[in-house]
Amino acid sequence: ILFRFLRYVFGKHSVTYVRNFTDIDDKINKLSLESGRSIKSITDETIKWYKEDMRELNVLEPSKSPRATEFVAAMIKQIEILISKNHAYVDKFGHVIFSVQSFPEYGLLSHRKLDEMQSGSRVAVSENKKDPLDFILWKPSDNLTPGWDSPWGRGRPGWHIECSAMIHELLGCNFDIHGGGIDLVFPHHENEIAQSCCAYPDSGFANIWMHN
């Protein structure tokens, strides 16, 4: 509805709507191992179902529909920037972890104070975090798990950095509207803001947040 409205007001070619697909995460990896199917086979099928449902609902196709696996190089680049600026660190297990304490504005979106928060994340928890709220940017992969070469060894990205990297590549450092479900405000969107603003401190990231 928002995409249609903005196209109506500003013109069809004045609005860029990006809706990404997370086609790599631990749940997909687990299903692949259990079923013997390739990750691409699983994600292609799920994306096909989703697009069919959207067409039945008469939802417009977005301007761009990136897959996370297409932007791993951009994720690695953003993680390297965060490490170089002391916003992230590497633990003894090979995880790269974002330091929440390095971003004083953390919690503004969800209206939470740092000392009142509880840790929570969709990705594996490292045993060597400096702070319980710190979150994973990169984690090592074993021989059975998909992975990419990186400065920290063969591994895969955490969920939060996937979105920040795709946003930066496709929309730039600053853009108008970030949407999503209300369940994503914390920790996902809070983490997106932290890592994006720390990597590109003059960016501002999203001007407006809209949650359903």
Side-chain angles (χ1 to χ4, degrees), residues 105-113 117 185-187 189-190 193:
E105 291 81 11
Y106 191 84
L108 283 180
L109 181 68
S110 57
H111 305 292
R112 301 181 184 214
K113 296 180 180 179
M117 293 186 201
V185 175
F186 182 85
H189 289 164
E190 204 72 76
I193 293 170

Side-chain angles (χ1 to χ4, degrees), residues 17 19 31 40 47 54 57 80 82 89 91 107 122 126 131 133 140 146 161 164-166 181 185 209:
Y17 169 34
R19 181 187 66 203
L31 179 58
K40 189 173 189 311
I47 290 170
M54 292 298 102
L57 293 168
E80 288 181 305
L82 290 168
Y89 56 94
D91 75 2
R122 251 181 62 178
S126 166
D131 186 286
L133 283 171
I161 196 67
S164 284
M166 284 187 278
V185 175
W209 287 86

